[in-house]
Each structure stands twice: as structure tokens, then as C-alpha cells.
Amino acid sequence: MNGSMPKYQQVARQLGDKLRLGVLTEGDKLPSVRMLSQELGVSINTVQQAYYCLEAEGLVEARPQSGYYARTLIDRMDTVPHRSEPQAMAHQTSLSDQESVLRRRVRQQQEPGWLPLSLGVPAPELLPVKKLSKALQQAQRELPHGGIEYEQMTGNQALRRQIARYALFWGSQLTDEEIITTEGCTAALTLCLKTVTRPGDTVAVESPVYFGILQTILSLGLKVLELPTDPLTGVDLDVLERHLQVGQVQACLLVPSFSNPLGCCMPATHKQRLVRLMERYQIPLIEDDLYGDLHFAPDRPLPCKAFDRQGLVLWCGSFSKTLAPGYRVGWVAPGRYYEALFQIKRYQGGFSPGLTQQAVANFLANDRYELHLRRLRQRLKGNCQRYQQTIRTYFPEGTRISEPQGGFTLWVEVDARINTLALADQLAVYKISILPGSVFSLQPQYGNCMRLSYGMPFNERVAWGLQTIGQLIHQQLAV
Amino acid sequence: MNGSMPKYQQVARQLGDKLRLGVLTEGDKLPSVRMLSQELGVSINTVQQAYYCLEAEGLVEARPQSGYYARTLIDRMDTVPHRSEPQAMAHQTSLSDQESVLRRRVRQQQEPGWLPLSLGVPAPELLPVKKLSKALQQAQRELPHGGIEYEQMTGNQALRRQIARYALFWGSQLTDEEIITTEGCTAALTLCLKTVTRPGDTVAVESPVYFGILQTILSLGLKVLELPTDPLTGVDLDVLERHLQVGQVQACLLVPSFSNPLGCCMPATHKQRLVRLMERYQIPLIEDDLYGDLHFAPDRPLPCKAFDRQGLVLWCGSFSKTLAPGYRVGWVAPGRYYEALFQIKRYQGGFSPGLTQQAVANFLANDRYELHLRRLRQRLKGNCQRYQQTIRTYFPEGTRISEPQGGFTLWVEVDARINTLALADQLAVYKISILPGSVFSLQPQYGNCMRLSYGMPFNERVAWGLQTIGQLIHQQLAV
């Protein structure tokens, strides 16, 4: 795969690794473009492009007349949202308050004329609509009797093969026999939870955490333990370990790469340590890798599954955020839980049609998926920067904005006096929909936070929307 | 609807009702063709056709030189399988024995060269493959962005409307707002069970009962209570009532119209009484109406939902047995449990793609579905008679064969010395797959029964298959 990666990306990755691993830290000056070009035997242009990449990732900053410097963690910590500090207690609260909020937002964002900053998917114009339609028609021709017959219960085989092939990027040795397709990622997570927990068990999650995950866990009669989470590096593993030590956690459900809403990515070393913890305490890790393909750095981050030696990681993914939300095609590689999980799936229904699965398989069978992802990532990364910039322009000073390393959501923390639940209601007058922070936790927190999606291409209307939010906040602070 | 029904069917229905309601009973001579034609003011031909219908339904028999007679219940009881007498105890046994059998059969029936008498769907050649393919392509053009966007969580609206319209046949006042689509009927049943039961509860079912229903109930941590079941009229309501009286049943899951494997249909009066029982004891009835459209009598039987005044009936159906098993399109009208059920569906994933739903909606939007069903029913009814006849020819005397009033499965009870589990293994040598009776119960019974599907058009190979089964049975009895 490296062979086909442009030179500048290879250079960016090499430097990025050094920065991420701490070989270069806190304010170190990086080699000049000319020096590095000689050292590596690549063109000046290549090095320059690599530095642009790193700058976009927030890893380096250009200082005029001086060159590139490693951005200090402290620099970044001043501007990103605070590390979360949820209570160290498992919760099983009802979600009824959050739900009425969510229902209203979901209803609104579907109505015409609304600016759906609460959106949970990339906008359709970023997705390969026509090519997928063709892939579906091809599937009709390929499947026996036009696809009206039952698909295999473990899922369409062509698709399972493609998923296995696709997993090679992290050195996976998974075969199609170890993969089960599901109708989207929530269905995969539900199956995993049913397989590895019993009602009353506690599941550890990030905090803030996607409300859908909270709803799924609670609806199965389970408790939620929210972990302190760093907006750049993910959950605090020391805290998790303390909970594991006292037997307080029966399963982890994490989004290690670009969690929703924070967009943070656990460094590979953290992921490895996480899996070792799972091994020590023999606890299953349900890895929601739904956003892993939407990375802004040159390389796709490794999933935790890459470090799994004992089959304790249930690796879940989906094409809902990268190809076609409506096709309902996801998967799980459940490791040692394969048999138990498959049995539940078999007995409780929930099979997606063979046609949509085969269509996705067709799309993956050549390089179309990789090409599409490259374009999608570029556009999302561009969106992200423009949204961030606009927020910085219009929101009051002191606003903290997440620095997602992938995905399509921003987490914005504003002055503690602002109640984003009320703000969301006020914004409804302008037909702007946002998600208030309070729905991302079972605890009373994040009341001054909001999730803004940058899944829509940036345009004047988006700018107006962000400006309007900023103005309302300014007004409230002035009272 | 009656207006469009051919005259002879109207006459057949009228007479059939009298027979079913007991106005004409046990050996009564029916009016001669000529007399009835004068009395009703219809042609002789019409009355003759009506009598043919009733004969095919097993309700009347022609006696040479004498005319038509109401077939006595005793006549029929001599030839259909015995009324089942399961133990009056709830079971939660493991299904592991049954499962290895089922897996083997399922694997076999998919292999080329096998005669799949164990099949659980009508053969693809009976389904409208090409028209559905076109309906799917139409759906691609109709849905925004080719159907890649999320479908509504309650299901595709066009489809829900069509289901509501289609339910008008029983005087339904359901609106699309009261229907939730599901990915097939098993998913609907699972949702219903999750909604109305808690682990440890007992669910009453027919006996013999489709093994998939047993698996679903058990996998949710529930107990199964098998009810005595008449091969012509369904479950014994007196026995059910006694269980209800002592609070032993928390939900019923029944297939009142053409249960699988018996193919029996509860008379409308029984259905009404069943719903009244549910009302008296405030117990939910999960009605699996998966086969209701495959009736052999002129009219579609009323579902229990038609008698539901309190929203206690969760009416489930699907297009898997009539249109496209692989499209995974089913539905539930959950009555008073709507909110609770929808919440579980929402939180635990399991949405079918909008495309396949819209395709089915397109197919239903004009009269294509009714036309297709008419043809499908005719062919299944014809299959049924030829299969029955062939079994009667080749199986030993004393063999009891069910008289399905719809659906596509026969239940065959042979000499008590025959073990159909062993027989199924012997038949594997001939590449003939059947389902042994023992998988249709959690109790040790039906060891001398088997389910034979007549979903495949009758042909020489089928005749050979049935003959081979008969020969093996003969051989074993001769030892």
C-alpha cells in the first residue's frame, strides 16, 4: 500500500509518527524544507507538501521567517475542549429528557429549509450516488433470481471477502469466515452487547459519547460507565484500569478512532495498552470502527483489533458513513465470540438484503472505494478547517473547539453560562439545528457544549448559520 | 372486493361458510347442481365450479351417481395427523440436538443436485423475479439520491401506506402511522417478544411449531408452552384458557392462519374467542400472519387483528413467502405497544434499506400483487394436491397427511415405529432433504412425523423423491 502512496504523504507520515511518538516534542524546531529535502533525497516541493499536511493535522505550526515548529500539547490544550471528568459511577438513568430533544432535532433536520448542523452523516453530495446505483444493478444481474432469494445468514460472501481484503491494511489475517455482516453498525453493536453481557452488567464508554450508543446500552438493561476522555487522545486508560481492577466493568464499547462527538483518535500505543488490559482482565472490547476510514492524516489508524491476540476484540464497522447510510451494510468480526453472536443473529432475525451487500462488494472490488475515500477525506478535512475557522471568527473568545483527526463532527465548548439546550431551541427560529451537549452523557454535564457536524460542504449558508449561533451566544453573555 | 370475485367463488364461499359454521354437517347431502343453480339464479356451470372448489378444500366429497356430500369431520380425522398432545409444561430446553439436524438440512438443500423437500419458501420460479427487479430500479429513480440516504426509522412511508391499504380486506382501520416495517417476519416477532415479555416469561405456541419460533423465544431467555393443536382448526382454546386462568402465560405467539408445519387455519369464531381471552386476561397476542395470503379457499382468512378492540394484538406479516425472501421486508402493527416497540427498534438497529421497501411498495401500488398472489395460490394448491396424492400412493397405509388450507408445507405422520430423524439421514444418500418432526417441538414427540414442503412445482423428480421416502418406510416396516 505504501508503494502507491504519494511521496509527500510518506514523508508526512514519517514526521507525524515522530511527533506523535514524542521523538519531536513541545516547540522543537523542525528541519528546514531544504535540509530535509537533501536528507531524504526528495524534492523541495515534496517536503513542503508534507509540512502542509502536518500543519492541517495540527501537529506543526509555521512561524513566519522562522520555519516549522512542533506544536506543543499545551498550545493545543488551551484551545480544545477540556478533558472530560464524568463521575466514576455506572448509570442507568432514563433518557427521556434527551429523547424529546433528539426527536425534535431529527424531525427538524429532515424538513426542507433547515440548516442541519446536527446531521450524523456526510451530505449525499459527498457520496458516490451514481456509481452505487450501477453497482446495485450489477448485483441484480449477478445474484441468482435477481436477489430475491435468501442471502447467506452470515452475510453475502463477496462482501465478506472484500471486508477481509480491506482489513489487510492493518496486517489482518481475518478470513471471510470470521466476518458476519449486519444491517449497519448499531445492529453490530447490539449483537455484540447481547453476546458478551447480561442485563445489569456495566459497559465502559467514552464521555462525551454518541447518544445512540447510550440508548442501545440502556435498552438492553445494561449500565453505562463514562470514562474521562481527552479530546485529543481518547479515554484515560489509568482510570479504566482502576475500574477493571475492582471488577466494575464487564465490557468496553469504545470508538478508538475518531469518536463521535470528539473526533479524537487514541494513539496506537494507547490502543495496544487497551487490548493488553482487556487480556489481563479477560474483558471483551467492542470496537466501533465506524469512522476509521475518515482519517485526515495520510494513514488509516490501526484498529484495536490489530493488537488482538486472544479474540477479545469484536471489531465492528459499516459503510453507512462512507458510502450509503441507507443501504444498511455493516459488519462485525467477533473473534472468540463468533459462534455465540451468530446464534443470536440467526434466531432474532436482522438480515440485510443480499442485493445491497453485493452492491457494496462490487463497489469495493476495484479501486473505486479507495479513490472515493481519498476524495471524501480531503473534502471533510477541508470542511473541518473552514468550519473551525468560521467558529473562531464568530464565537466569543474562550470558545474551545475540538481538533478532530477524522470523522465529521466538531465538539464546541462555550462559556459556562451558556445553556446549549436553550440555545438549540432559540436556533429553531432560524431553522438551524444543532445537538446540545447534554444528550452526549447520562450525567448532568456538557450543558455548555454542542456538536456541530461538518458533513455538509462549507458555503455561505453554513457561514451564516455559524455566525448566527455565535451572535446568539454573544447576546446572552452580554445580558 | 366481492364485486370483483368470480360468481363461482362467491357461491363456494357461501356454501363453505355454512359448512364451516356447522349449518351443514357430517354427511349432509348438498343440493344438486341443478337445484342450486335455480335457487341462486346462476348457471349450472357456476355451481359446478363452486363444488370443485369445495372439493379441493376437502369440505365436500362427490359420491358417484349420488351427488355432493359434506365431508364429515370424522372422515377427515381418520386421515389427518392426530391432534397433538404436548405436556402442559413450559420448557426452556436447549435446542442443540435439533440444531445440528437443521444446520445439516439447510446446508444440504442449498447444494446443487439436492431435492429440497425441506425448503421453507416457495421456489423462485413461482415468484415475480423480473417484475420485482424493475420495481427496484424504479425505487432507485424515485428515492432521493438513489436510495443511499437513511430511510425513516418507522419504515418507508410508501410501503406503510400500501400495507395499510392492503389491510382493508379485513375492514382494517389501520393507518400507515400504526405500522412499522421490519427486516422480515422473524425480526418483527423478535421485536414483539422483546416488547411484551421479560426473561423468564412463558410464551404459548402451537405444537408442532416452526423451529425458528422456538429458537427466537429461547434465545430471548423465555419459556415455551406448547398447546394441543388440531390439524384442522388450530390450538385448543380451552387448554389455553386454563393456563391463562392460573397466570401461566405472559404472551401468545401464534400462526392462526396456516401455521407452519400443520397448515391449519383457526376458524374465525376461534380467532374471535382467542382475542376475547386475551382481553379478559390482558395478555398480548403476537400474531404471525406470514402465510395468510396463501389461502386455498376463495377468501383470505381474517387475522385475529380484525377482532382486536384493545390493541392487544401485534399483527406481524412479511413479503418473504409471497414475493421476495431476500428483500427482507416485513411489518408489525403493534397496537398499544407501538411506542415501546418502536423504541427498541430504534435503539437496537435493524432497519431494512429503503430501496427494497420502496420496490415492494411499487409492486403493491397497482394490482400486480393481487394478480401474482392469485397465480401463486393456484399453483401451491395444485402442488399440494399432487404431493398429497403421491404420498398416498407410495407411503404405507395408515399414513396421515395434513390437509393444509393454505401455505406450502405438509405434515406427514407415519407408523410409530419409524424414526424420521434416522430416515432423514438415510435420505441424504439419495440427496433428498426432509425435516424430521422432532425439530418442531421442545418435547420428545413427533419422532414419526416429517414436514414436506410443496413449494417446488410437482414434477417427476419430486414424484421420485416421495416414492423413495415411501419405499424406505416400507422397507423399515418390513424388517
Side-chain angles (χ1 to χ4, degrees):
Chain A
M1 213 165 202
N2 282 1
S4 69
M5 185 189 285
K7 208 83 199 172
Y8 75 92
Q9 283 191 9
Q10 294 182 32
V11 174
R13 193 181 55 161
Q14 218 174 318
L15 287 170
D17 282 349
K18 284 186 185 171
L19 289 160
R20 274 183 286 262
L21 292 170
V23 180
L24 283 164
T25 49
E26 315 225 346
D28 280 355
K29 189 173 189 312
L30 276 79
S32 74
V33 172
R34 185 172 305 273
M35 232 169 73
L36 196 57
S37 120
Q38 284 171 357
E39 191 181 313
L40 301 176
V42 299
S43 75
I44 286 188
N45 197 29
T46 298
V47 175
Q48 186 60 63
Q49 279 188 300
Y51 275 149
Y52 289 153
C53 276
L54 294 170
E55 198 178 1
E57 280 181 70
L59 289 170
V60 306
E61 59 181 347
R63 296 191 190 155
Q65 322 294 324
S66 175
Y68 284 95
Y69 288 80
R71 237 177 124 205
T72 65
L73 258 185
I74 293 165
D75 283 347
R76 303 175 75 193
M77 281 174 63
D78 272 355
T79 58
V80 298
H82 290 99
R83 176 181 182 276
S84 71
E85 295 291 351
Q87 293 167 34
M89 257 181 61
H91 282 73
Q92 208 170 7
T93 336
S94 147
L95 271 171
S96 49
D97 286 353
Q98 281 96 325
E99 259 156 45
S100 61
V101 176
L102 287 170
R103 283 207 197 186
R104 224 174 315 151
R105 294 291 98 83
V106 167
R107 219 177 23 244
Q108 288 168 351
Q109 77 184 18
Q110 287 167 347
E111 285 170 22
W114 278 73
L115 182 69
L117 293 170
S118 54
L119 211 65
V121 279
E125 49 265 50
L126 300 184
L127 301 176
V129 174
K130 280 195 184 154
K131 284 179 187 156
L132 267 177
S133 285
K134 277 189 191 154
L136 188 71
Q137 284 162 18
Q138 186 187 336
Q140 280 189 311
R141 291 189 300 271
E142 287 168 348
L143 289 179
H145 300 102
I148 64 156
E149 291 185 79
Y150 282 127
E151 185 48 84
Q152 283 185 47
M153 288 197 162
T154 50
N156 177 278
Q157 195 178 27
L159 177 62
R160 286 185 285 114
R161 286 204 178 128
Q162 287 302 325
I163 294 169
R165 186 178 77 101
Y166 151 89
L168 292 173
F169 78 88
W170 51 266
S172 149
Q173 305 202 344
L174 284 178
T175 68
D176 58 297
E177 301 288 321
E178 293 164 274
I179 293 164
I180 294 171
T181 69
T182 59
E183 52 319 354
C185 204
T186 299
L189 301 180
T190 303
L191 274 173
C192 291
L193 286 167
K194 278 188 193 164
T195 307
V196 302
T197 65
R198 292 159 181 234
D201 279 358
T202 293
V203 181
V205 300
E206 281 114 0
S207 182
V209 56
Y210 170 53
F211 49 86
I213 288 179
L214 293 175
Q215 290 169 327
T216 301
I217 295 174
L218 291 177
S219 82
L220 294 169
L222 303 165
K223 296 193 201 109
V224 173
L225 177 72
E226 299 179 37
L227 297 171
T229 306
D230 183 278
L232 295 169
T233 58
V235 290
D236 186 323
L237 293 176
D238 293 330
V239 173
L240 173 61
E241 182 162 19
R242 283 201 293 277
H243 286 293
L244 291 170
Q245 270 164 1
V246 295
Q248 221 184 340
V249 167
Q250 282 71 50
C252 292
L253 195 172
L254 297 173
V255 188
S257 299
F258 322 129
S259 77
N260 173 355
L262 283 172
C264 58
C265 188
M266 291 177 76
T269 47
H270 287 216
K271 286 175 176 161
Q272 185 166 26
R273 184 179 160 210
L274 172 63
V275 177
R276 295 298 162 263
L277 283 178
M278 299 294 101
E279 288 174 0
R280 188 167 326 139
Y281 297 96
Q282 290 295 300
I283 298 290
L285 168 63
I286 303 169
E287 178 175 32
D288 183 352
D289 199 14
L290 184 58
Y291 309 101
D293 284 337
L294 301 176
H295 49 95
F296 297 162
D299 282 343
R300 194 206 194 275
L302 291 181
C304 293
K305 185 72 179 173
F307 302 105
D308 185 26
R309 302 176 298 195
Q310 300 187 7
L312 282 163
V313 179
L314 301 97
W315 183 49
C316 302
S318 149
F319 300 97
S320 298
K321 305 300 185 189
T322 54
L323 274 187
Y327 273 31
R328 318 305 307 122
V329 178
W331 76 85
V332 53
R336 65 160 80 162
Y337 306 99
Y338 182 96
E339 273 304 322
L341 186 141
F342 179 49
Q343 192 147 321
I344 293 175
K345 182 166 167 68
R346 219 155 25 114
Y347 295 168
Q348 303 189 4
F351 296 95
S352 30
L355 277 170
T356 42
Q357 296 183 60
Q358 178 94 7
V360 171
N362 286 339
F363 195 89
L364 265 67
N366 50 42
D367 290 337
R368 270 179 295 187
Y369 187 55
E370 196 39 57
L371 275 171
H372 158 66
L373 280 181
R374 212 174 291 168
R375 219 170 295 147
L376 177 61
R377 285 193 293 254
Q378 258 171 12
R379 295 191 65 179
L380 288 177
K381 188 169 167 178
N383 286 0
C384 180
Q385 288 165 351
R386 303 203 56 183
Y387 277 66
Q388 282 172 322
Q389 220 170 338
T390 311
I391 294 168
R392 260 182 231 117
T393 307
Y394 293 117
F395 281 40
E397 211 164 319
T399 296
R400 289 163 172 267
I401 313 169
S402 64
E403 292 190 4
Q405 295 152 62
F408 46 83
T409 62
L410 282 173
W411 184 246
V412 181
E413 184 182 323
V414 297
D415 189 286
R417 287 168 290 172
I418 298 295
N419 174 350
T420 52
L421 198 58
L423 182 70
D425 282 336
Q426 292 161 342
L427 285 166
V429 179
Y430 301 89
K431 299 203 170 187
I432 297 169
S433 97
I434 64 165
L435 282 181
S438 56
V439 303
F440 294 89
S441 173
L442 291 186
Q443 305 179 19
Q445 51 182 342
Y446 313 131
N448 61 326
C449 298
M450 69 189 92
R451 190 192 81 177
L452 299 174
S453 159
Y454 52 88
M456 273 179 306
F458 187 87
N459 57 27
E460 280 186 18
R461 200 164 140 65
V462 169
W464 160 83
L466 295 173
Q467 187 180 5
T468 305
I469 304 173
Q471 278 171 349
L472 282 182
I473 296 172
H474 271 293
Q475 281 168 22
Q476 287 180 26
L477 292 177
V479 175
Chain B
M1 213 162 200
N2 283 1
S4 69
M5 187 188 283
K7 207 85 199 168
Y8 76 92
Q9 283 191 8
Q10 293 181 33
V11 175
R13 196 182 50 162
Q14 218 173 318
L15 288 170
D17 283 348
K18 285 188 186 171
L19 290 161
R20 274 182 287 259
L21 291 169
V23 179
L24 283 165
T25 48
E26 314 225 347
D28 281 354
K29 188 172 189 311
L30 275 81
S32 75
V33 172
R34 185 171 305 272
M35 233 169 71
L36 196 59
S37 120
Q38 284 170 359
E39 190 182 312
L40 300 177
V42 299
S43 74
I44 287 188
N45 197 30
T46 299
V47 176
Q48 187 60 64
Q49 278 189 299
Y51 276 150
Y52 289 154
C53 274
L54 294 170
E55 198 179 2
E57 281 181 69
L59 289 170
V60 305
E61 59 181 347
R63 296 190 191 157
Q65 320 295 323
S66 172
Y68 284 95
Y69 287 79
R71 239 177 124 202
T72 65
L73 258 185
I74 293 165
D75 282 349
R76 302 176 75 192
M77 280 173 64
D78 271 355
T79 58
V80 298
H82 290 98
R83 175 180 183 278
S84 71
E85 296 291 353
Q87 294 167 34
M89 256 181 60
H91 283 74
Q92 208 171 9
T93 337
S94 148
L95 271 171
S96 49
D97 286 354
Q98 281 95 326
E99 259 155 45
S100 61
V101 177
L102 288 169
R103 284 208 197 186
R104 224 174 315 150
R105 294 290 97 82
V106 167
R107 221 180 18 248
Q108 287 168 351
Q109 77 185 20
Q110 288 166 348
E111 285 171 22
W114 278 73
L115 181 69
L117 293 170
S118 54
L119 212 63
V121 280
E125 48 266 50
L126 300 184
L127 301 177
V129 174
K130 279 196 184 150
K131 284 178 187 156
L132 267 177
S133 285
K134 277 189 189 151
L136 188 72
Q137 283 162 19
Q138 187 187 336
Q140 280 189 314
R141 291 189 299 272
E142 287 167 350
L143 289 179
H145 300 103
I148 64 155
E149 290 184 81
Y150 282 127
E151 185 48 83
Q152 284 184 48
M153 286 197 164
T154 50
N156 177 278
Q157 197 178 23
L159 177 63
R160 285 185 287 112
R161 286 204 177 127
Q162 287 302 326
I163 294 169
R165 185 178 78 100
Y166 151 89
L168 291 173
F169 78 87
W170 49 267
S172 149
Q173 304 200 345
L174 284 177
T175 68
D176 59 296
E177 301 288 321
E178 293 164 273
I179 293 163
I180 294 172
T181 69
T182 59
E183 52 318 352
C185 204
T186 299
L189 301 179
T190 303
L191 274 172
C192 291
L193 285 168
K194 279 189 195 164
T195 306
V196 302
T197 65
R198 290 159 182 233
D201 279 357
T202 294
V203 182
V205 300
E206 282 116 0
S207 183
V209 56
Y210 170 54
F211 49 85
I213 289 179
L214 293 175
Q215 290 169 328
T216 302
I217 295 175
L218 292 177
S219 81
L220 293 168
L222 302 164
K223 294 191 200 113
V224 173
L225 178 71
E226 298 179 37
L227 297 171
T229 306
D230 183 278
L232 295 169
T233 58
V235 290
D236 186 323
L237 292 176
D238 293 329
V239 173
L240 174 61
E241 183 163 19
R242 284 202 292 278
H243 286 293
L244 291 169
Q245 270 164 1
V246 295
Q248 221 185 341
V249 167
Q250 283 72 49
C252 292
L253 194 173
L254 297 173
V255 189
S257 300
F258 322 128
S259 77
N260 173 355
L262 284 173
C264 58
C265 188
M266 291 176 76
T269 47
H270 287 217
K271 285 175 177 162
Q272 185 167 24
R273 181 177 163 214
L274 172 63
V275 177
R276 295 299 162 263
L277 283 177
M278 299 294 102
E279 288 174 1
R280 188 166 325 139
Y281 297 96
Q282 290 294 301
I283 297 290
L285 168 63
I286 303 169
E287 178 175 29
D288 182 353
D289 200 13
L290 183 58
Y291 309 101
D293 285 338
L294 302 176
H295 50 95
F296 298 161
D299 283 343
R300 194 207 195 275
L302 292 180
C304 294
K305 185 73 179 172
F307 303 104
D308 185 25
R309 301 176 299 196
Q310 299 187 8
L312 282 163
V313 180
L314 302 97
W315 183 48
C316 302
S318 147
F319 300 97
S320 297
K321 306 299 185 188
T322 55
L323 274 186
Y327 273 30
R328 317 305 308 122
V329 178
W331 75 86
V332 54
R336 65 160 79 161
Y337 306 99
Y338 182 96
E339 273 305 320
L341 186 141
F342 179 48
Q343 191 147 320
I344 293 175
K345 181 166 168 67
R346 221 156 22 115
Y347 294 169
Q348 303 190 4
F351 297 95
S352 30
L355 277 171
T356 43
Q357 296 184 61
Q358 177 95 8
V360 172
N362 286 339
F363 195 88
L364 265 66
N366 50 43
D367 290 338
R368 268 178 297 187
Y369 188 53
E370 198 38 60
L371 275 172
H372 159 65
L373 280 181
R374 212 172 292 169
R375 216 169 298 147
L376 177 60
R377 285 192 294 253
Q378 260 171 11
R379 295 191 66 180
L380 288 177
K381 190 170 165 177
N383 286 1
C384 180
Q385 289 165 350
R386 302 199 61 180
Y387 278 66
Q388 283 172 322
Q389 221 170 338
T390 312
I391 293 168
R392 263 184 229 114
T393 308
Y394 293 119
F395 281 42
E397 213 164 319
T399 296
R400 290 163 171 268
I401 312 169
S402 63
E403 290 190 4
Q405 297 153 59
F408 45 83
T409 61
L410 282 172
W411 184 247
V412 181
E413 184 182 324
V414 296
D415 190 286
R417 285 167 292 172
I418 298 295
N419 173 351
T420 52
L421 198 60
L423 182 70
D425 282 337
Q426 292 161 341
L427 285 165
V429 179
Y430 301 89
K431 298 203 172 187
I432 297 170
S433 97
I434 64 166
L435 282 180
S438 56
V439 304
F440 294 90
S441 173
L442 290 185
Q443 304 179 19
Q445 51 183 342
Y446 312 132
N448 61 327
C449 299
M450 69 190 92
R451 190 190 82 177
L452 299 175
S453 159
Y454 50 88
M456 271 179 308
F458 187 87
N459 57 27
E460 280 185 18
R461 199 164 141 66
V462 168
W464 161 83
L466 295 173
Q467 186 179 6
T468 305
I469 304 174
Q471 278 171 348
L472 282 182
I473 296 173
H474 272 294
Q475 280 168 21
Q476 287 178 27
L477 292 176
V479 174

